[in-house]
Amino acid sequence: MPRLLTLLLCLFMFAACTEQQASESKDQIAENTAAKDTETERTWWKEGIVYQIYPRSFKDTNGDGVGDLRGIIEKLDYIKSLGVDIVWLNPIYASPNDDNGYDISDYRAIMPEFGTMEDFNEMLAGMHERDIKLVMDLVVNHSSDEHEWFEQSRSSRDNPYRDYYHWWPAEKEKPNPRFSFFDVNNDAWMYDSTTNAYYLHYFSRKQPDLNWENPKVREEVKDIMRFWLDKGIDGFRMDAFQYVSKDTTFPKLPEGYEKDIIKYYGMGPNLHPYLKELNRDVLSEYDVMTVAEGAGSTYQDAIDLVHPDSNELNMVYHFEGMDVGSSLDGYKLTEFKKVYSEWDSVLAGNGWNSIFLANHDQPRMVSKYGNDSPEFRAPSSKMLTTFILSMRGTPYYYYGDELGMTNNEAFQEIGDFQDIAARNSYEGALERGENMDNFMAHLRFMSRDNGRTPMQWNDTEHAGFTDGEPWLMLNPNYEQINVEAQEDDPNSVLNYFRRMAQLRQENPVLVYGDYELLFPNHEQVYAYTRSLDGKEMLVMLNFSEEEVSVDLPLAQQPGDVVINNYENTRLEGSNVTLEPYQAVIWEI
């Protein structure tokens, strides 16, 4: 695999290289796990629909071009109108913003750009008044280098905070190499002359990794969690958490280890004991939702994290689906179906899954998995919405995707990008003499900035996002694609999302029902059934821009249409003809 592609996949997903998951057979899983539960426990975090908000890009109320908490407060009625139950909010903690808030300098303070703690309290109360729960990012694999802990830690070798981070004395020579996702040279060891030592940073140089092997660090994290849980938040999404446990001898890794990074970085020697400790001492005392970014490198890793008997986490958030479609050459639907079908089979009775096609580290859903051309953007957006909201697992829906927001074609030169991963990988590619035309083509498609452009509220200047200059370049298509334009159109992408959300909430079969894949080798149609307590639904999705016909098995003969992203269905006997990107759900 070319070095550029390897590094970009790691940069944008933090979870590539899951081939072992794809090859691990379901029979092996069955042999290595307890018998599956005959009935899945029903909970709010399984039935809820998660709406992810990137606060910097949602709504600005003070004209500085950056979204803020008061902007979220202003739009709470809109969020409620979507039919979602849970908001996942990306970091709003105090931060110097090297990585847009994922470098935290104070875990108990709000970033001034976003507002105040009073604003936060008002926002949380407003969500709860509307029966919306709040899940926050917990970023504790690393802190900012401007956090008081690190400033103390780097000041001297005998400082009480020294062992809060991973240090390597320079007199022992440079430690064995470790890959950094964001460093220009991908070097995770940074020399610090203050104490003549190297510190570890899996991400940027301003994001030193915390030393979880130090019990004092774990106690600090527990106190942070209690601080926010006692305020009334409803859970945590645990950022980069599969990396927190490390072999502190830092042994030499095999050549090319960065191409299979999760195998060597994820699921460290003490990860499970640490999670059980957090669960026992903190999480078990609250009714909360917990999800960790990543799911290890094997199916068994994932089961161990979320099996009901593990007492660790509620659900996995795997990235194998994100690996599909990360090439400019597109993807094969058969591969896409295989990923989601195998994960459903593995977790059935063994744990709970997350279903998503976009987040703050990905390009826009319709541009990657659908078709963002003017002709097919709306139907393919609706089709992808149908998929997310009809699969078993908690659905995660990223802000703006309910409109069919697309990748930003205005991103052309490296100066158009704000993301540290984009800029540093560009510098690294230049130094290595890579083909920069190829690099930029891939960056324009896969850059995280595509998913971070400001929310498109209306067709006025700056899309109604701000009265100032937006922090990131707006997508020029905001004049056509915006909330105001779609709000009163019954056939809009926005209102289709609302109908699909309502359908899921009113039909437990779409939450808990058994999943059975049809036509596994069909290259254009993704079809499956969901069945529960005598009720069965048939989902048919055309992932292509062509009309497609298929013959249904006799056992899956459609009855009433419950949702359709076109006006009509074409059914003759057992033969179904689907329009380009058509999505239909029938009762059987």
Side-chain angles (χ1 to χ4, degrees):
M1 182 183 294
R3 180 173 174 82
L4 168 62
L5 180 56
T6 299
L7 298 186
L8 283 175
L9 287 175
C10 289
L11 285 170
F12 297 127
M13 287 176 265
F14 313 151
C17 317
T18 49
E19 295 159 356
Q20 212 170 343
Q21 289 167 331
S23 62
E24 187 174 358
S25 75
K26 287 175 269 186
D27 290 340
Q28 288 173 313
I29 291 295
E31 291 173 5
N32 296 330
T33 58
K36 293 184 177 182
D37 300 329
T38 57
E39 186 172 332
T40 300
E41 181 185 1
R42 301 192 178 193
T43 64
W44 64 265
W45 45 264
K46 292 175 182 174
E47 297 172 5
I49 298 170
V50 180
Y51 185 68
Q52 183 188 348
I53 294 177
Y54 196 69
R56 179 170 293 274
S57 297
F58 196 63
K59 183 69 172 70
D60 172 33
T61 59
N62 63 4
D64 65 356
V66 175
D68 47 48
L69 298 184
R70 298 221 63 83
I72 297 174
I73 293 169
E74 181 182 302
K75 295 299 182 181
L76 285 177
D77 286 339
Y78 169 78
I79 297 169
K80 177 65 176 177
S81 79
L82 296 175
V84 300
D85 312 275
I86 305 163
V87 165
W88 160 20
L89 188 61
N90 287 109
I92 55 172
Y93 314 101
S95 167
N97 262 330
D98 187 58
D99 185 25
N100 281 352
Y102 281 89
D103 49 318
I104 297 169
S105 55
D106 187 342
Y107 287 93
R108 294 177 177 83
I110 302 297
M111 191 188 307
E113 279 184 315
F114 291 148
T116 66
M117 190 62 78
E118 289 72 25
D119 293 331
F120 173 84
N121 293 338
E122 182 181 343
M123 179 192 72
L124 180 60
M127 288 182 180
H128 286 171
E129 288 168 4
R130 293 166 175 82
D131 295 321
I132 298 171
K133 296 183 182 292
L134 176 63
V135 170
M136 294 180 65
D137 257 315
L138 183 67
V139 188
V140 287
N141 173 73
H142 49 265
S143 74
S144 166
D145 66 345
E146 297 182 32
H147 194 290
E148 177 67 18
W149 297 341
F150 189 74
E151 291 179 347
Q152 291 286 336
S153 181
R154 80 191 314 174
S155 66
S156 70
R157 291 193 179 187
D158 59 0
N159 188 282
Y161 287 92
R162 183 66 170 184
D163 290 338
Y164 273 44
Y165 297 87
H166 296 280
W167 290 95
W168 188 275
E171 63 267 22
K172 293 174 63 176
E173 299 185 347
K174 190 170 182 179
N176 287 314
R178 288 298 183 268
F179 180 87
S180 170
F181 295 108
F182 292 171
D183 189 83
V184 172
N185 301 313
N186 302 122
D187 184 355
W189 290 108
M190 181 67 185
Y191 178 72
D192 188 75
S193 62
T194 308
T195 59
N196 189 36
Y198 297 90
Y199 67 84
L200 183 71
H201 62 95
Y202 277 0
F203 294 88
S204 89
R205 297 174 183 181
K206 291 182 65 62
Q207 293 171 292
D209 281 33
L210 287 160
N211 179 13
W212 274 70
E213 277 57 50
N214 182 349
K216 293 180 180 179
V217 169
R218 302 199 298 277
E219 291 304 316
E220 297 273 16
V221 171
K222 292 175 194 175
D223 286 344
I224 292 166
M225 295 170 73
R226 292 188 189 100
F227 175 84
W228 292 102
L229 291 170
D230 287 343
K231 277 187 167 292
I233 74 164
D234 303 287
F236 293 109
R237 177 261 190 187
M238 304 168 84
D239 179 74
F241 200 81
Q242 62 182 333
Y243 302 145
V244 299
S245 176
K246 299 172 175 70
D247 181 345
T248 55
T249 65
F250 297 106
K252 183 177 177 60
L253 299 177
E255 187 74 23
Y257 71 92
E258 71 276 7
K259 298 176 184 178
D260 199 4
I261 200 74
I262 303 304
K263 178 179 178 180
Y264 296 98
Y265 272 23
M267 309 298 291
N270 292 307
L271 181 66
H272 291 298
Y274 294 160
L275 280 169
K276 291 180 191 299
E277 180 182 337
L278 293 183
N279 189 297
R280 180 191 68 237
D281 295 351
V282 181
L283 297 172
S284 62
E285 299 174 4
Y286 303 84
D287 179 20
V288 293
M289 166 181 155
T290 54
V291 55
E293 181 184 28
S297 60
T298 69
Y299 289 134
Q300 190 61 52
D301 284 344
I303 291 171
D304 291 343
L305 287 169
V306 298
H307 192 280
D309 296 335
S310 294
N311 295 318
E312 295 186 16
L313 300 172
N314 292 151
M315 68 182 80
V316 298
Y317 190 91
H318 73 83
F319 286 88
E320 196 173 353
M322 296 298 95
D323 293 349
V324 178
S326 295
S327 166
L328 293 173
D329 297 328
Y331 66 97
K332 292 183 178 180
L333 180 62
T334 50
E335 181 183 359
F336 184 91
K337 290 190 283 189
K338 183 174 185 287
V339 166
Y340 286 96
S341 298
E342 288 195 355
W343 273 101
D344 182 87
S345 175
V346 164
L347 290 174
N350 285 321
W352 197 249
N353 200 7
S354 303
I355 304 294
F356 64 100
L357 292 178
N359 61 32
H360 60 290
D361 288 328
Q362 299 294 323
R364 280 291 170 181
M365 174 178 80
V366 70
S367 298
K368 183 177 180 181
Y369 295 104
N371 185 329
D372 61 9
S373 69
E375 182 179 3
F376 295 121
R377 180 192 61 83
S380 66
S381 292
K382 295 174 184 178
M383 183 272 295
L384 295 171
T385 291
T386 310
F387 168 75
I388 294 172
L389 294 175
S390 64
M391 288 289 287
R392 178 161 50 184
T394 298
Y396 288 68
Y397 214 85
Y398 191 55
Y399 85 97
D401 283 345
E402 74 272 23
L403 307 176
M405 283 178 60
T406 68
N407 278 0
N408 193 344
E409 293 186 358
F411 291 152
Q412 291 297 312
E413 306 301 325
I414 191 60
D416 298 331
F417 296 87
Q418 298 293 325
D419 180 27
I420 184 175
R423 293 189 170 203
N424 284 356
S425 61
Y426 179 86
E427 293 299 323
L430 274 178
E431 290 182 10
R432 292 188 294 271
E434 295 185 13
N435 183 315
M436 297 311 292
D437 288 339
N438 292 345
F439 177 92
M440 287 303 300
H442 196 273
L443 185 65
R444 292 183 193 109
F445 176 56
M446 281 297 297
S447 172
R448 304 192 300 179
D449 277 342
N450 282 308
R452 299 177 178 185
T453 56
M455 181 68 169
Q456 296 166 196
W457 294 105
N458 56 45
D459 63 1
T460 63
E461 187 179 18
H462 306 320
F465 164 71
T466 181
D467 293 332
E469 188 65 27
W471 76 276
L472 182 63
M473 189 185 303
L474 275 159
N475 195 319
N477 65 17
Y478 75 85
E479 294 184 355
Q480 294 79 42
I481 303 172
N482 61 72
V483 173
E484 190 175 275
Q486 298 190 28
E487 190 68 64
D488 296 326
D489 178 1
N491 296 316
S492 67
V493 177
L494 173 60
N495 283 313
Y496 184 88
F497 173 83
R498 288 171 169 149
R499 291 197 301 276
M500 189 64 213
Q502 181 179 1
L503 181 68
R504 182 182 181 88
Q505 291 165 336
E506 293 177 351
N507 289 275
V509 65
L510 293 178
V511 179
Y512 298 109
D514 290 340
Y515 163 95
E516 182 181 352
L517 177 66
L518 307 176
F519 315 118
N521 298 318
H522 202 291
E523 297 180 352
Q524 295 163 296
V525 173
Y526 193 165
Y528 47 93
T529 60
R530 303 295 310 280
S531 55
L532 179 73
D533 297 333
K535 184 167 186 177
E536 190 167 7
M537 289 189 176
L538 168 65
V539 182
M540 297 197 70
L541 311 169
N542 182 358
F543 270 71
S544 78
E545 60 183 51
E546 300 172 354
E547 181 182 288
V548 182
S549 294
V550 294
D551 289 319
L552 290 171
L554 292 177
Q556 276 85 34
Q557 292 304 298
D560 293 336
V561 173
V562 294
I563 197 165
N564 181 9
N565 67 342
Y566 276 73
E567 290 186 6
N568 300 304
T569 57
R570 294 164 62 185
L571 176 64
E572 296 182 9
S574 62
N575 182 268
V576 176
T577 299
L578 297 173
E579 303 292 339
Y581 298 106
Q582 186 166 14
V584 188
I585 300 180
W586 284 276
E587 290 183 337
I588 297 180

